[in-house]
Amino acid sequence: MKRNMAYKIQVIYASLFILIIASTVLISYISGTQRLEREVVRSNLQMLNQINKRMESTLAEIDRAIIQMLQTGDAAFFFNNPRSGSPEYLIRLDGIQSQISGLKRSYPAIQSVYLYSLDNDMVLSDELYNPISEETDTNWIGAFYKMSFYYKWTINPLFKEKKADRHTVTLIRFYPMAEKPEARKGVIAVNLPETVLSDMFSDLQFGSSGNVLVVNEEGIILSDADKSRIGRNIAEYKLGGQVLSEQDNGFFRHKNDKASEWVFYSSSSYTGWKLVYVVSQGQMSGLFLAIRNILLVLAGAMALLSVGSVVLVNRTWFSPMERFINKVESLFNKREGEATGSARSLRPDFNRLEGTIRDMLSGYSDAVRHLQESKPALKLQIVFDIVTGQRTRYDLAKSYLDHIGLELYAGHYIVMIAELDNKALLEKMSDLNLYLYAVCNVAEELMRERGEALKGGAVQINEYQVVILASFRDGDVAANTELAGSFAQLLLDAVQTYIKRSLSIGIGVYRHRFADIKDSYRAAQECIHYKLVAGPGTVITGDDMSVLDGASLMELFDLADQLQEAVWQIHADKVAELLAAIFALAAQSRFTDKVMVQFALQLIYRTGKKVAEPALMERLQSGHAEIEGRLTQAGSLADMREYLLGLMGHMMEALVEKRNSRTKSDELVARIVAYISLNYGNSGLSLNLLSEEFAVSSNHLSKIFKMSTGINFVDYVIAVRMQEAQKLLLASQANVNRIAEQVGYTNVTSFMRSFKKFAGMTPSEYRQAERL
C-alpha cells in the first residue's frame, strides 16, 4: 500500500514537472520567436536604411559635382551666349567639354552628360555639339523644361547617337539652378546605368532572390533584378497600392495568392524614391526552425532529467521521510513517558526540518521581491509595445497590465508626449532621469484625481520625453479631447510649480480601438516636433499644425535668394531685416523642429557658396556637426535667428577680406596679361618664367589667373598666339615655319595642331579661305 502511495506521488510529481517544462518551452518558443521576429524586422530596416543612405550619398555626390561644374565660367559662357564661330567661343566650348570628360573619368558610374542652352539652341556633351534641329532624340528637353521642380532624379531619357544601357537613371537640373521656369536658360541631363542602384542590394539577406526594387513618387519601378519590370507601375501588383500609401520607413505584411509576404520599405528625402524589400513568409520562417528544434531537444532532455530527479529524490529523501513519519507515529502510540523521551531525542530532526522550511519561505520572499523590482522595466516595455503597435489586442494585454498595475479601459484612447524644454541646459544635468521619473509620478497622480473618468499611466521613453497613455470611460470624442487638453495643462502647471521645470506636451488624436493607439502616438510625436515654433511650456494639438502652401514656399525661397544677395552686397541691416522676415514666415507656416533646422542649414550653406570663400566653406563643412547641434539646441526661433545672424556676419567679414585680396589679384593679372601681349613670341614663356618675373608662386599665379580671366594660363597663351598667327597669315607672305617661330613655336607640327584645333582648318587653308 505504501509502495503504491510512493509510486503515485512519483507519477504526480513527474507529470507536474513535465507539464511545467512543456509550458515553459511553449512560452519560450512564442516569446523567442516574437523577439527574433522583432530583431529580424529591426535588422532588415536598418540594412535597408543603410542601403538607402548609400544610394543617396552616391547620387548626391554626383549631383554636387554637376553643381560645381555649372558654377564654372565655361558653363556660364555656354548657357548665356549665342552660338558663334569665334576662337574664344570655341575655346570655351572645348573647356566645358573637357570638364564633362573629366567628370566622367572621376565618376565612372556616369554614362553621359548633356547640356542644352536656350540662348544658342544647342545640345552639348563631351563628344557632341549640334544645333537642336540636328538632334534626333531631344524629347527629354520639352518633357522637363517647364517643370516646377529645381532638380529631379528620373529614368530613361536615352540618346540615340551614343550606345547606352536600355535602363538608365537620369538627373535633371536647370541653369540657373534656383530660377523659376520662365527665367531658366538651360537644362542638363546626367545618365547613369540602372545597375548603379541594383548592385547595392547584395548586402540584404534575401537580396539574391530578386525581391528588391526602387520606385519613385508615382510608383514607377526604377530598379529591379527582373529588368522587365523597370518602367512599369508598382500599382499593377497587389502590394503596390499599400506601398505607395506608406510614408517614411517601416514594414507591413501582405497576403498574395500563394503565401504571406513581408514588405519592408525606406523612403529617401533627397530623391523622393522608396526602396522596397519583399521577403516571403517561407524565407522568414526558416530563421525560426533552429529555435524550435533546439527547444524540443532541451524539452526532451529536461523531461528525462526531471523524471530521473523525481526517482532520485524519492529514494534519497521521500522514503526516509516516510519511514521517519511512521516511526514518529509508532512512538506516539507508546506510553506518555516513553513518547516524551523519544520526542525529545527526535528534536534535532525537527529543527533541521524547520530550517529547511524557513529556507524555502525565504527563497519565495526573495523571488517576490525581485518580481516587484522588475515591474518598472516591464511597465516600460509593455507601454512602449502598445504605443508602437507591437501589442494590438486588449484581451491579450490585460493580464500584463494587471500585473504591472496599469489600469486601462477597453476603448477610447489618447496618447500624449511630454518633453522637457531647454535641451542645451538639460545636457549639463546629471540627474535628468530623476526629473522625468517625477513627471511620470505627477502625471499618474493627476489621473487618479480624475476618478473613473480617466485612467492610464506614464513612462519615460528617452532622455527627454515621457509618454502618457490615457483611456476614457465614455466614448464622447469632444469631451475626451477637452479632458485630455485640461489634463495636459494641469500637468504643465504642476511640473512648473513643484519640480521647477518647463514642459511642452504634444497631444495625439483620439482613437476608439486598442489596436489604433499607435496612430495617436505618431500624431503626438508630430505635434511635439512643432515645439520650436510654438515655444516652450505649451500644449500642442493637431489644430496647431498647418501645411505650408505653394505661394508661401515660393515667398520663402525668394527671401532666401534676397538674403544671399544682401550678404554678397555686405548689407548688414538688410541681412538682419531679411532674416527676421524669413523666420516670421517660418513661424506663420509652423515648420516642425527638424524642418526648421534643415532649412537653417540650407540657408547657411547656400549663402556660404554665394560667398565662395574656400576657407569659410571648409570651416562650415568641418563644423557641420557643431552647427547642427547649436541649431537643434535652440530654445526658440529667436535664438536660432540670432545664431544665423552671427554666422552671416562672419560670412560678410570673409567676403570683405576676399574682395580686398581679389582687387590685388586682378591688378597682378592685368600686369601679367600686358606682359604676355608683349612677349608671346618668346618660346620660353611659361608659368615658371612669370612666377620669377612677378615674384609669386606658380601655383598661386595659375589660380588667380584662372579666377580673373575665366581661362587657364596655357589656353590663354595659345589663344593669343593663334590670333597673332592669323594676323600674320593675312598680312604677309611668310611661310608657316616663319610665322610659327614669330608666335613662339619651335616645333611647326605642334603649331599646326594648335592652329587647326583653334581655327578648325590648317594655316594654309585659313589664308586661302580668308583671302577668297
Side-chain angles (χ1 to χ4, degrees), residues 11 90 177 188 194 308-309 441 485 520 540 569 602 630 678 760:
V11 172
L90 297 176
M177 288 179 287
I188 180 170
E194 175 271 338
S309 300
N441 288 339
S520 184
I540 309 166
Q569 295 175 0
Q602 288 297 319
R630 290 286 300 274
L678 295 175

Side-chain angles (χ1 to χ4, degrees), residues 14 136 184 187 196 202 222 262 297 309 315 356 443 459 488 490 502 505 516 535 553 653 717 726 734 737 742 744 747:
T136 60
R184 292 170 181 164
V187 61
V196 171
S202 58
L222 310 180
W262 294 62
V297 172
S309 300
R315 291 180 179 178
T356 301
V459 294
L490 282 175
S502 173
I505 300 179
D516 296 333
L553 185 61
E653 292 173 1
V717 171
Q726 287 176 333
N737 290 346
Q742 287 181 292
N747 187 320

Side-chain angles (χ1 to χ4, degrees), residues 20 57 111 211 223 431 462 527 567 640 642 659 713 720:
I20 293 173
S57 177
Q111 185 170 278
N211 49 8
S223 178
D431 54 351
N462 57 41
C527 289
V567 171
M640 187 179 289
E642 289 301 318
R659 288 178 179 172
F713 170 78
V720 170

Side-chain angles (χ1 to χ4, degrees), residues 36-37 39-41 43-45 47-48 51 198 200-213 224-225 260-264 276-289:
L36 180 60
E37 182 178 295
E39 183 63 26
V40 169
V41 168
S43 62
N44 276 290
L45 285 177
M47 181 63 71
L48 210 60
I51 293 175
S198 60
M200 297 182 185
F201 304 152
S202 58
D203 290 342
L204 288 169
Q205 182 173 0
F206 305 113
S208 60
S209 304
N211 49 8
V212 187
L213 59 152
D224 196 312
S260 296
E261 294 177 332
W262 294 62
V263 181
F264 302 90
V276 183
Y277 176 31
V278 183
V279 182
S280 69
Q281 182 64 44
Q283 291 172 317
M284 294 289 287
S285 299
L287 300 174
F288 305 136
L289 293 178

Side-chain angles (χ1 to χ4, degrees), residues 287-359:
L287 300 174
F288 305 136
L289 293 178
I291 290 182
R292 186 193 65 185
N293 295 335
I294 291 172
L295 287 175
L296 288 176
V297 172
L298 288 176
M302 291 175 66
L304 293 175
L305 181 62
S306 64
V307 172
S309 300
V310 168
V311 174
L312 181 63
V313 169
N314 179 67
R315 291 180 179 178
T316 58
W317 186 82
F318 183 77
S319 293
M321 178 62 72
E322 188 177 20
R323 288 194 297 270
F324 168 74
I325 293 174
N326 291 333
K327 188 175 182 179
V328 172
E329 289 178 351
S330 65
L331 289 174
F332 274 100
N333 291 328
K334 294 181 179 180
R335 296 189 304 272
E336 180 177 357
E338 293 177 354
T340 303
S342 299
R344 187 180 296 113
S345 65
L346 292 171
R347 188 167 299 161
D349 294 334
F350 282 117
N351 289 337
R352 284 197 299 271
L353 183 60
E354 180 184 359
T356 301
I357 294 173
R358 185 185 298 111
D359 291 340

Side-chain angles (χ1 to χ4, degrees), residues 96-106 125-127:
I96 188 65
Q97 287 181 313
S98 298
Q99 289 186 41
I100 295 174
S101 299
L103 191 66
K104 292 173 67 176
R105 287 192 298 272
S106 301
S125 71
D126 57 330
E127 299 178 355

Side-chain angles (χ1 to χ4, degrees), residues 127-247:
E127 299 178 355
L128 169 73
Y129 178 61
N130 284 333
I132 193 68
S133 58
E134 300 176 12
E135 189 60 41
T136 60
D137 195 6
T138 56
N139 292 332
W140 61 276
I141 297 175
F144 294 108
Y145 199 76
K146 295 300 181 180
M147 294 293 184
S148 59
F149 57 79
Y150 292 100
Y151 75 93
K152 185 179 183 67
W153 283 96
T154 182
I155 57 169
N156 290 344
L158 299 178
F159 303 91
K160 296 179 181 176
E161 82 292 337
K162 181 178 177 66
K163 288 186 177 179
D165 291 342
R166 193 169 71 87
H167 300 294
T168 61
V169 179
T170 302
L171 168 66
I172 300 295
R173 269 201 173 275
F174 302 99
Y175 184 90
M177 288 179 287
E179 291 291 347
K180 299 175 183 178
E182 57 270 16
R184 292 170 181 164
K185 293 191 174 183
V187 61
I188 180 170
V190 183
N191 278 330
L192 314 176
E194 175 271 338
T195 52
V196 171
L197 306 181
S198 60
D199 289 346
M200 297 182 185
F201 304 152
S202 58
D203 290 342
L204 288 169
Q205 182 173 0
F206 305 113
S208 60
S209 304
N211 49 8
V212 187
L213 59 152
V214 179
V215 299
N216 64 9
E217 303 96 319
E218 294 80 24
I220 303 301
I221 298 176
L222 310 180
S223 178
D224 196 312
D226 184 356
K227 305 306 178 185
S228 64
R229 297 181 182 178
I230 297 177
R232 299 174 64 178
N233 199 303
I234 195 173
E236 298 176 14
Y237 306 96
K238 288 188 176 181
L239 59 81
Q242 189 166 356
V243 168
L244 294 178
S245 66
E246 298 291 345
Q247 302 294 325

